């Protein structure tokens, strides 16, 4: 199914329409950092249409009931490529039981793999992971359900460069069938602006997708975004969905400082500390 567009106008009517052609077994690059910038409207539309067997590349997999966690709970994800998976107990259960394949990747390496994929670079050398199982192989990617390893990571090429003959490991770039991202603001041509830490991975995920779908809180006309403030140019974006500013957002782990007691307030304060 092809989503029709007129000219440079990339806006589609709904999240459901935007993801309607994503088939079973597709690969997705999904933006967000923790729960910041999760494209939840697109994720929920994908859940509703029943797409399964997905291979997903994202910094993390949300939490049990939010972000990519909703697809994981419905067992729609077959493989995750991530740098951090520590906040999702269902993820742990599926991985250890052999239901889910995981390619655990250093965070900076994952970011560069996505950027390189979007830039048409096949692979690159990095020092990150040299001397560990990241380079040497043997990291469990999938368990057999009985405590044994069914699939382990393969060894990677290591070469020396520079006057000091430092070792570098070869990492292949990542490109995916689709990318799903959330932006604070976007125009009809697909130029996007991200909010704070949501910018960490979302532009890179968008670049890596052969078809990029962006949900935006604020939709503006072309020319209303100062070119100097554009975080991702519209050339990388193929579909735009307006979700509004009242879309639900979650905090992954709320941490607050307990108010000081009146007695403590009158005592000498610890140097270098501040109240919440």
């Amino acid at each position: 199914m092809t989503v029709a567009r007129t000219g440079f106008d990339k806006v589609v009517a709904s999240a459901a329409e935007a993801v309607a052609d994503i088939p079973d077994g597709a690969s997705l690059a999904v933006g967000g950092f923790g729960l910041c910038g999760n494209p939840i409207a697109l994720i929920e539309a994908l859940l509703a249409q029943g797409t399964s067997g997905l291979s997903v590349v994202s910094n993390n997999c949300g939490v049990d009931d939010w972000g990519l966690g909703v697809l994981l709970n419905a067992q729609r994800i077959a493989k995750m490529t991530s740098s951090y998976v520590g906040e999702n107990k269902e993820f742990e259960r599926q991985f250890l039981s052999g239901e889910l394949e995981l390619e655990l990747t250093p965070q900076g390496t994952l970011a560069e793999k996505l950027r390189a994929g979007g830039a048409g670079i096949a692979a690159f050398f990095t020092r990150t992971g040299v001397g560990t199982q990241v380079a040497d192989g043997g990291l469990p990617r999938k368990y057999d359900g009985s405590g044994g390893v069914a699939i382990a990571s393969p060894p990677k090429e290591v070469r020396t460069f520079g006057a000091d003959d430092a070792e570098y490991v070869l990492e292949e770039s990542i490109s995916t069938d689709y990318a799903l991202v959330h932006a604070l603001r976007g125009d009809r041509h697909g130029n996007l602006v991200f909010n704070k830490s949501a910018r960490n991975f979302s532009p890179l995920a968008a670049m890596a997708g052969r078809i990029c779908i962006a949900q935006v809180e604020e939709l503006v006309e072309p020319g209303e975004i100062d070119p100097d403030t554009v975080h991702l140019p519209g050339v990388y974006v193929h579909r735009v969905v307006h979700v509004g500013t009242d879309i639900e957002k979650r905090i992954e782990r709320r941490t607050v400082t307990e108010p000081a007691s009146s007695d403590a307030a009158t005592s000498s304060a610890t140097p270098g500390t501040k109240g919440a």
Side-chain angles (χ1 to χ4, degrees):
M1 179 184 299
T2 301
V3 178
R5 297 195 310 270
T6 302
F8 288 104
D9 192 338
K10 301 176 181 180
V11 176
V12 295
S14 67
E17 181 182 347
V19 303
D21 62 341
I22 299 180
D24 292 348
S27 59
L28 307 177
V30 181
F33 192 67
L35 298 188
C36 298
N38 281 206
I40 192 63
L42 299 174
I43 290 170
E44 289 179 340
L46 202 56
L47 176 71
Q49 82 175 31
T51 310
S52 62
L54 297 167
S55 294
V56 179
V57 182
S58 187
N59 179 59
N60 62 292
C61 197
V63 292
D64 291 325
D65 63 345
W66 189 251
L68 285 169
V70 301
L71 290 175
L72 186 76
N73 277 337
Q75 297 189 310
R76 305 292 179 78
I77 299 176
K79 178 182 178 181
M80 279 296 305
T81 300
S82 297
S83 65
Y84 178 71
V85 294
E87 299 293 333
N88 194 318
K89 293 188 180 301
E90 176 62 14
F91 191 107
E92 177 185 3
R93 188 200 68 76
Q94 289 190 26
F95 179 52
L96 295 179
S97 67
E99 300 171 33
L100 178 69
E101 184 176 348
L102 168 64
E103 186 172 349
L104 200 58
T105 305
Q107 189 170 82
T109 300
L110 180 61
E112 180 61 11
K113 284 162 79 78
L114 290 165
R115 190 204 68 82
I121 298 169
F124 57 92
F125 282 96
T126 176
R127 296 192 70 176
T128 302
V130 171
T132 73
Q133 286 182 301
V134 170
D136 300 340
L139 280 173
R141 284 193 176 176
K142 191 170 186 179
Y143 285 99
D144 61 9
S146 301
V149 177
I151 302 174
S153 65
K156 299 173 182 176
E157 180 183 349
V158 175
R159 291 175 58 181
T160 58
F161 293 93
D164 58 352
D165 286 334
E167 291 187 323
Y168 293 75
V169 59
L170 181 67
E171 293 282 0
E172 295 185 10
S173 63
I174 293 174
S175 58
T176 59
D177 300 322
Y178 294 84
L180 309 179
V181 298
H182 174 97
L184 177 67
R185 185 175 298 106
D187 66 22
R188 292 181 175 275
H189 291 176
N191 298 300
L192 302 180
V193 177
F194 300 96
N195 189 33
K196 298 181 174 65
S197 58
R199 187 180 173 188
N200 288 353
F201 271 87
S202 294
L204 309 174
M207 292 172 65
R210 297 182 186 92
I211 297 176
C212 173
I213 307 169
Q215 63 172 61
V216 301
E217 294 183 41
E218 181 184 355
L219 179 64
V220 301
E221 295 302 318
E224 290 187 39
I225 301 176
D226 184 337
D228 280 343
T229 67
V230 170
H231 296 152
L232 184 77
V235 67
Y236 289 107
V237 180
H238 302 82
R239 301 170 195 166
V240 176
V241 180
H242 183 212
V243 295
T245 57
D246 60 347
I247 189 168
E248 184 182 1
K249 299 177 183 180
R250 296 278 186 94
I251 295 174
E252 189 164 357
R253 182 174 294 181
R254 186 184 296 274
T255 303
V256 295
T257 301
E258 292 294 332
S261 67
S262 57
D263 290 341
T266 58
S267 64
S268 57
T270 302
T273 61
K274 291 183 177 180

